[in-house]
Amino acid sequence: VTAPDHERLREDLAGYVLGGLTVDEQLALEAHLAECTSCRAELADLDPVPVLLDLAAPVAPSDDPAVGDDADEPSTEHDREPSAEPVLTAVGSTRAQAATDTPPAPNPTRPRRRGVLAAAGVAVAMLLAFAVGLVVAAPSEPAYGAPIALHAVGGSGAAGTVAVRAADHGTEVRLRLRQLPAATGTWYECVWWSDSGGRWSAGTFRPGPTASTDVELLAAAKLHPGWRVAILEHTADRPQPVTVLTTTT
Amino acid sequence: VGVADALSALTEVQREVIDLAYYGQLSQSEIAEQLGIPLGTVKTRTFAALKSLRAELAQRGTLP
């Protein structure tokens, strides 16, 4: 590796730990890391920083007065914990974009880099299996439950459904939203309740350029009977979010 | 743990790329497009920002 190449690859360490390199860039950097002691040391130096960045991300308020229809629900320990970790984090979206002006929910593992690598690994495994005539079945996952209609509460008049399924480490929540307003200056926060765990804050997401958005969230808690989902709309011209959609259970 | 303080010690340009890359989850190419600057500049700037942040965190005892 020439000195300019080394410097270019070294600078990619930032994109590597923060997420945001292309697969080709990641593979090139990882090949370089295998043979470059100084870059490995630099990576070890920088790698803890993103986890600390999560600590600087503000947590969405947990007792938002804008959510008016749960005022009669008893307060819980979680409601009072200012540092309660959001239990829902966005894990995928077809068109939604992460809000750039509001940090998403803490995401200590930065799944994008690992997700890309995992996807690459799966793709290689599938190709190998195909080459030798094997059929590799995808691991079976429980199906999502029937979609439940979200009830419009106010704001933009958006509509949509929510479906949930149990996951190994919690609950996956799939939102299919439509009639969304233009994304400029607007984003949403999804809030998930359980009947026994209080109210939990989810990550934020911004709708894409179309009026429809599919979003999948991962709740780091087991699904409890009586769960509820509400979507709060934040806009630049309002200091407080407004609940726009909620389940009616 | 002083992370917010460390972030505030960065230049505005450095905070901007950290915000876009980490909190905004934009790729390096997307940042270049959004800021209207070359990709190489984004990489140089992001690397410098992360190094500065690392140094600020070390200065505050958050990292060794």
Side-chain angles (χ1 to χ4, degrees), chain A residues 123-171:
Chain A
V124 170
M126 292 288 284
L127 285 172
L128 288 173
F130 183 76
V132 296
L134 297 176
V135 175
V136 178
S140 61
E141 292 180 326
Y144 275 99
I148 298 172
L150 289 164
H151 166 67
V153 176
S156 59
T161 61
V162 57
V164 298
R165 69 178 179 187
D168 285 346
H169 303 291
T171 304

Side-chain angles (χ1 to χ4, degrees), chain A residues 6-226:
Chain A
H6 171 84
E7 188 57 28
R8 177 179 56 80
L9 289 161
R10 178 170 170 260
E11 288 185 343
D12 272 348
L13 287 169
Y16 189 68
V17 300
L18 292 172
L21 296 184
T22 66
V23 173
D24 286 346
E25 287 170 333
Q26 288 179 41
L27 293 175
L29 178 58
E30 286 167 357
H32 176 66
L33 285 167
E35 60 188 26
C36 181
T37 308
S38 66
C39 281
R40 282 202 302 275
E42 192 113 62
L43 175 61
D45 213 36
L46 297 176
D47 211 32
V49 176
V51 175
L52 294 169
L53 282 172
D54 286 330
L55 299 178
V59 175
S62 60
D63 55 352
D64 182 357
V67 184
D69 60 351
D70 64 337
D72 55 344
E73 291 183 9
S75 178
T76 70
E77 283 302 309
H78 275 119
D79 286 327
R80 290 190 291 272
E81 287 178 5
S83 61
E85 291 289 324
V87 296
L88 290 169
T89 54
V91 295
S93 168
T94 55
R95 290 181 294 277
Q97 299 172 331
T100 57
D101 42 1
T102 295
N107 186 10
T109 57
R110 298 293 294 151
R112 174 162 55 184
R113 170 169 35 125
R114 297 178 189 188
V116 169
L117 293 175
V122 169
V124 170
M126 292 288 284
L127 285 172
L128 288 173
F130 183 76
V132 296
L134 297 176
V135 175
V136 178
S140 61
E141 292 180 326
Y144 275 99
I148 298 172
L150 289 164
H151 166 67
V153 176
S156 59
T161 61
V162 57
V164 298
R165 69 178 179 187
D168 285 346
H169 303 291
T171 304
E172 290 182 13
V173 181
R174 175 188 286 166
L175 297 171
R176 291 188 165 163
L177 307 176
R178 58 187 188 277
Q179 299 171 27
L180 295 168
T184 305
T186 302
W187 64 96
Y188 294 87
E189 178 182 346
C190 177
V191 182
W192 181 80
W193 286 274
S194 77
D195 65 334
S196 58
R199 198 179 74 181
W200 304 81
S201 175
T204 58
F205 63 91
R206 175 177 291 173
T210 68
S212 298
T213 294
D214 292 353
V215 181
E216 291 183 357
L217 306 168
L218 175 63
K222 292 298 182 187
L223 187 63
H224 298 287

Side-chain angles (χ1 to χ4, degrees), chain B residues 17-37:
Chain B
V17 289
I18 295 283
D19 280 345
L20 293 173
Y22 192 72
Y23 295 125
Q25 297 196 354
L26 296 188
S27 71
Q28 300 276 280
S29 301
E30 289 168 335
I31 294 171
E33 188 176 343
Q34 179 153 333
L35 298 181
I37 58 178

Side-chain angles (χ1 to χ4, degrees), chain B:
Chain B
V1 291
V3 182
D5 284 347
L7 276 170
S8 66
L10 302 183
T11 67
E12 191 172 336
V13 164
Q14 289 177 329
R15 275 198 305 275
E16 182 178 46
V17 289
I18 295 283
D19 280 345
L20 293 173
Y22 192 72
Y23 295 125
Q25 297 196 354
L26 296 188
S27 71
Q28 300 276 280
S29 301
E30 289 168 335
I31 294 171
E33 188 176 343
Q34 179 153 333
L35 298 181
I37 58 178
L39 176 60
T41 304
V42 170
K43 292 186 175 189
T44 302
R45 200 176 280 182
T46 309
F47 182 70
L50 201 61
K51 290 280 286 181
S52 295
L53 181 59
R54 174 69 173 83
E56 293 292 341
L57 290 166
Q59 198 172 31
R60 287 161 176 76
T62 305
L63 287 175

